[in-house]
Amino acid sequence: MAASGLPRRLFLQGVAAVYALAFASLYTQIPGLYGAEGILPARRTLRPQGKGRWRQLWETPTLLWEAPQLGLDTAQGLELLSLLGALLALGALLLRPLCNLFVYLLLWAAYLSACQVGQVFLYFQWDSLLLETGFLAVLVAPLRQPPRHKQTPQSGLAGASPHEALPFWLVRWLLFRLMFASGVVKLTSRCPAWWGLTALTYHYETQCLPTPASWFAHHLPVWLHKLSVVATFLIEIAVPPLFFAPVRRLRLVAFYSQVLLQVLIIVTGNYNFFNLLTLVLTTALLDDGNLTAEADSGRCRKTPTSWPRSLLALLALLLECTVYGLLAYGTVHYFGLEIDWEQLAVHSTTTFTFHQFSQWLKMVTLPTMWLGVVSLGWELLTAFWRWTQVRGWLRKLCTAVQLFIFGTATVALFVISLVPYSYIEPSTHGRLWTGAHRLFGTVEHLQLANSYGLFRRMTGLGGRPEVVLEGSYDGQHWMEIEFMYKPGNLSRPPPIVAPHQPRLDWQMWFAALGPHSHSPWFTSLVLRLLQGREPVIRLIQNDVEKYPFHKQPPTYVRAQRYKYWFSHPGEQSQWWRRQWVEEFFPPVSLGDPLLDTLLRQFGLQSNLHPQDKSPPRARSSGNALAQALRWIRKQLSPLEASTLLWGLLTAVGAIRGMQALLGPRPPHASPVAKEEKHRLAPKKHCGPAGKAAAPAPDNCSGSVQASRRKK
């Protein structure tokens, strides 16, 4: 991890980009989700309990406690935080001086503050992953950026502080926990689709928000779907231990396999910023050598000059061959791969049992923790050795303090992360050191470490459940209320939504998996539609004119549950087919006793009822800051959220392109510098015998000749 200056820089840039997208996406939905007329008003979540200011802030860590001091209510404070978070993230992405520890600390605090009042709409695993990654970015980011002319072109052992690589190792550990746990839970859940290798025959049409490519992927041959599930298990369970391999090429193989998986998921599913964030985490598998190419790489090569180097190279090659052989043998053996030459297909089936997998998991969970301990111990020893090379007592003292602080923080976060990681195997969790449990319990509410497990069970095996809202003026003639993103209209193709996450559409997908009583927020959604609240309507249709009841709210609202399937190839103008299943939510109107009963049952009546006359926590109608927020909202509201985010990405790309074209170019290396580079790398030579291949000086010999002429 020592020579990882460029990957660290790339990681920080990626985290800033994800923050910008996450804040911008959330900002567009705040009025409909958390405003005074929203589904779950944010003001209901922050009610002082008479505790001290600091104790209140520690128990519910959110900057929104200070919103009344600015003359804003909670929802307006959330808008301000989202805007400032997006601007700060863009600043860290585009302006080098802003890529520092304090900016990333503010970004993390702002997103944590939003999650404290986000309720069910911010309870997704990628929100937790962004918080954990964001806190690691605080430790990885430099205290301040050195001037460009003082920055070393290569962040190798020289010119880098001894502690810099330690926090970045935690990013690699986080990527390992995320991928390994995501693979394991698919099998520990006993889901028949995962065990039967048929999960992908359902996944593409039953995932929350498919893309147009999902339709085509769904109609691939079944044997290819099953082989893809095998590849998923291989990438998520067998490959992650290679993240800590001592051989660089093994880490590169692990990197490319993770990138391949994430890119395929991006193409076939709208998972907002989650896959982008996972790609950002994969930068921890790289080093400076992966991201730079020397000009003389085509002509010069490194050859071992001593028998220890030759022996190490041979051992590395043997280790690589052994690893590849074990992966190939294990895949063929445990998934029964057989090639059918007649049908040109690869047949696969699971050859191990749940009991065998449970015993294997019990056997390997603790060793994977020790793998992390050994890897972290090596990084600590490397950092200490680099500290011993520091010259000057004052600089040595400063680097010792930094090494102690960041080393302690790294070890503490690693110990904390062992608790949620051990959830994958209950017996290991019970044997974990009690001090780790106490430490994790102390900071659990800060979400510094979380448990992960994506796609634990495959839903919709008998068809994709979908809730369709309907409205009526007379209770007899009903019109469907179509959402912008989730499936509804059978002839409308699945949209491309990412990196935006329409959180209401996502929760509608979860609501369809059970009765409406399992989703209390759905009752408040029905109420807001009966009241005709425009902020909520904009969550469904940003262009209010497309909403069927934009002129007058419906008198009655109900919901039906359907089963959806992708259409068959050849069906003209049809992307979906569906079948009615049952009534999901009964017809209700304003003042309906059933509606009032549900609101009281879920504790929502005092916040959502039209007779609610309670004043907001801060009167902000005349506040200049509140007026500015309303003006910004008015300017941006006509833009659809996904359009806004893609416009933001395009603008960032254009600015970075202009910076690359118009920015200062690195000066050409002087002859003296070339001679110094040649002196520091004496093991490079040109040609098979170390002689120049042509009379003209090349990259290997020209520097010495040029320097002699200069002298």
Side-chain angles (χ1 to χ4, degrees):
M1 302 292 295
S4 58
L6 292 177
R8 288 200 301 270
R9 216 175 307 160
L10 187 60
F11 167 74
L12 292 174
Q13 295 281 291
V15 172
V18 173
Y19 264 131
L21 296 172
F23 278 119
S25 175
L26 178 62
Y27 171 79
T28 63
Q29 305 172 75
I30 290 174
L33 296 179
Y34 306 117
E37 297 181 344
I39 298 173
L40 295 177
R43 68 186 184 197
R44 66 193 291 268
T45 62
L46 293 182
R47 294 177 178 174
Q49 303 294 328
K51 301 177 182 178
R53 183 176 184 179
W54 293 109
R55 183 180 176 186
Q56 179 178 266
L57 184 61
W58 172 253
E59 293 181 355
T60 308
T62 175
L63 300 174
L64 295 175
W65 287 116
E66 305 303 318
Q69 306 299 324
L70 301 175
L72 305 175
D73 62 23
T74 307
Q76 290 174 321
L78 186 56
E79 287 192 28
L80 180 62
L81 267 184
S82 299
L83 283 173
L84 293 179
L87 290 175
L88 266 181
L90 289 174
L93 186 60
L94 298 174
L95 302 175
R96 190 166 165 273
L98 291 182
C99 190
N100 59 59
L101 181 149
F102 300 107
V103 169
Y104 283 93
L105 181 61
L106 288 174
L107 289 171
W108 174 79
Y111 205 75
L112 178 64
S113 300
C115 288
Q116 296 300 310
V117 302
Q119 305 168 80
V120 70
F121 293 107
L122 275 167
Y123 284 173
F124 295 97
Q125 287 196 50
W126 34 86
D127 295 313
S128 300
L129 181 63
L130 179 54
L131 283 174
E132 187 170 352
T133 306
F135 190 79
L136 296 184
V138 175
L139 300 179
V140 173
L143 190 62
R144 65 179 182 86
Q145 287 285 355
R148 191 177 294 273
H149 65 277
K150 292 185 179 181
Q151 190 175 23
T152 56
Q154 299 294 334
S155 302
L157 291 177
S161 298
H163 72 274
E164 287 184 354
L166 290 177
F168 197 46
W169 179 89
L170 288 172
V171 178
R172 184 180 294 185
W173 174 246
L174 172 57
L175 178 65
F176 170 79
R177 289 191 291 117
L178 171 67
M179 302 310 301
F180 188 72
S182 296
V184 164
V185 298
K186 292 176 174 61
L187 294 174
T188 56
S189 67
R190 301 196 183 197
C191 175
W194 287 116
W195 277 92
L197 306 181
T198 59
L200 292 185
T201 61
Y202 307 101
H203 166 73
Y204 296 114
E205 71 176 1
T206 61
Q207 61 182 318
C208 181
L209 297 176
T211 65
S214 303
W215 187 92
F216 296 96
H218 176 73
H219 292 96
L220 292 174
V222 173
W223 69 266
L224 187 55
H225 284 157
K226 298 179 74 173
L227 191 62
S228 300
V229 173
V230 173
T232 300
F233 286 137
L234 179 67
I235 293 173
E236 292 186 344
I237 298 178
V239 170
L242 299 182
F243 296 171
F244 307 101
V247 180
R248 182 188 191 192
R249 286 190 295 268
L250 288 176
R251 296 195 302 272
L252 273 179
V253 168
F255 167 78
Y256 287 123
S257 66
Q258 303 304 315
V259 170
L260 174 64
L261 178 63
Q262 299 307 317
V263 169
L264 290 176
I265 295 175
I266 290 173
V267 171
T268 58
N270 286 295
Y271 291 97
N272 50 82
F273 58 80
F274 168 64
N275 303 109
L276 297 177
L277 183 55
T278 307
L279 287 173
V280 171
L281 293 177
T282 61
T283 57
L285 302 178
L286 301 175
D287 54 49
D288 289 342
N290 302 130
L291 301 176
T292 57
E294 296 184 10
D296 56 353
S297 59
R299 299 183 183 181
C300 304
R301 59 177 180 173
K302 294 182 180 180
T303 57
T305 57
S306 60
W307 70 264
R309 288 181 178 272
S310 301
L311 180 61
L312 285 176
L314 178 60
L315 290 176
L317 181 60
L318 290 176
L319 179 60
E320 282 187 77
C321 295
T322 302
V323 169
Y324 298 145
L326 288 175
L327 289 177
Y329 171 78
T331 304
V332 173
H333 176 72
Y334 290 108
F335 294 100
L337 298 186
E338 293 181 357
I339 300 178
D340 187 338
W341 296 104
E342 293 182 0
Q343 299 181 1
L344 296 179
V346 179
H347 300 299
S348 53
T349 182
T350 307
T351 62
F352 54 93
T353 64
F354 177 79
H355 176 72
Q356 290 173 329
F357 180 75
S358 299
Q359 292 300 314
W360 175 85
L361 184 61
K362 186 181 299 184
M363 183 177 62
V364 303
T365 302
L366 198 57
T368 57
M369 295 182 181
W370 282 109
L371 175 64
V373 171
V374 171
S375 180
L376 177 57
W378 176 263
E379 297 300 329
L380 289 169
L381 289 175
T382 304
F384 179 76
W385 177 82
R386 295 178 62 207
W387 173 77
T388 61
Q389 309 303 306
V390 175
R391 297 291 179 261
W393 68 268
L394 182 59
R395 186 166 181 264
K396 197 158 191 168
L397 178 62
C398 293
T399 54
V401 172
Q402 292 175 330
L403 181 58
F404 175 78
I405 294 174
F406 283 90
T408 303
T410 301
V411 173
L413 285 174
F414 172 71
V415 172
I416 290 171
S417 70
L418 293 179
V419 177
Y421 172 65
S422 64
Y423 291 158
I424 63 175
E425 211 289 300
S427 64
T428 304
H429 178 73
R431 298 201 310 268
L432 205 59
W433 178 45
T434 55
H437 288 282
R438 288 197 298 269
L439 190 58
F440 174 74
T442 303
V443 298
E444 183 177 6
H445 63 296
L446 298 178
Q447 300 191 52
L448 302 183
N450 304 280
S451 60
Y452 302 99
L454 301 167
F455 301 109
R456 184 184 299 269
R457 296 188 65 87
M458 191 56 56
T459 60
L461 300 186
R464 172 198 182 94
E466 197 68 57
V467 172
V468 176
L469 280 163
E470 297 177 340
S472 173
Y473 290 118
D474 57 8
Q476 301 295 325
H477 302 87
W478 296 88
M479 287 185 286
E480 292 188 8
I481 298 175
E482 185 177 354
F483 283 64
M484 284 184 290
Y485 307 116
K486 81 179 193 69
N489 189 336
L490 302 182
S491 60
R492 190 188 66 175
I496 296 178
V497 182
H500 171 58
Q501 183 188 1
R503 296 182 181 266
L504 176 58
D505 296 65
W506 269 86
Q507 287 299 337
M508 289 288 290
W509 182 80
F510 283 107
L513 301 178
H516 71 83
S517 57
H518 290 179
S519 305
W521 58 268
F522 191 85
T523 304
S524 62
L525 170 64
V526 170
L527 175 64
R528 290 314 196 194
L529 295 180
L530 289 170
Q531 294 172 345
R533 303 302 189 192
E534 183 176 332
V536 176
I537 293 173
R538 285 188 175 275
L539 294 176
I540 298 174
Q541 285 291 343
N542 191 68
D543 185 357
V544 179
E545 297 293 327
K546 295 181 180 179
Y547 181 67
F549 302 99
H550 65 276
K551 294 183 179 179
Q552 181 183 349
T555 307
Y556 301 93
V557 169
R558 71 180 185 185
Q560 308 286 344
R561 195 198 314 264
Y562 286 84
K563 288 283 184 71
Y564 273 65
W565 298 270
F566 272 139
S567 62
H568 297 297
E571 295 184 19
Q572 297 296 326
S573 303
Q574 292 289 321
W575 286 83
W576 298 96
R577 51 192 177 90
R578 73 180 185 182
Q579 178 182 344
W580 181 85
V581 177
E582 61 183 350
E583 184 179 71
F584 179 79
F585 195 91
V588 293
S589 59
L590 288 177
D592 191 307
L594 174 61
L595 182 61
D596 291 339
T597 299
L598 289 173
L599 291 174
R600 284 194 302 270
Q601 177 183 343
F602 299 135
L604 300 171
Q605 189 175 39
S606 61
N607 296 281
L608 300 173
H609 202 274
Q611 279 77 34
D612 177 24
K613 302 298 182 182
S614 59
R617 294 183 58 199
R619 296 193 176 276
S620 56
S621 58
N623 186 291
L625 183 56
Q627 291 179 354
L629 289 173
R630 283 193 291 270
W631 182 84
I632 295 174
R633 173 70 60 185
K634 184 178 180 181
Q635 303 306 310
L636 296 179
S637 59
L639 292 176
E640 187 180 333
S642 57
T643 303
L644 177 63
L645 264 66
W646 278 106
L648 192 65
L649 284 173
T650 303
V652 168
I655 294 174
R656 292 302 297 266
M658 293 297 292
Q659 287 177 335
L661 290 174
L662 303 179
R665 296 181 180 275
H668 294 290
S670 65
V672 176
K674 290 183 178 181
E675 182 179 7
E676 180 69 13
K677 179 180 177 183
H678 179 79
R679 184 181 64 81
L680 292 175
K683 297 181 178 60
K684 289 188 178 181
H685 64 88
C686 298
K691 299 180 181 179
D698 58 17
N699 288 337
C700 297
S701 58
S703 60
V704 178
Q705 297 173 2
S707 62
R708 288 175 179 171
R709 287 197 297 269
K710 181 70 176 179
K711 290 178 182 179

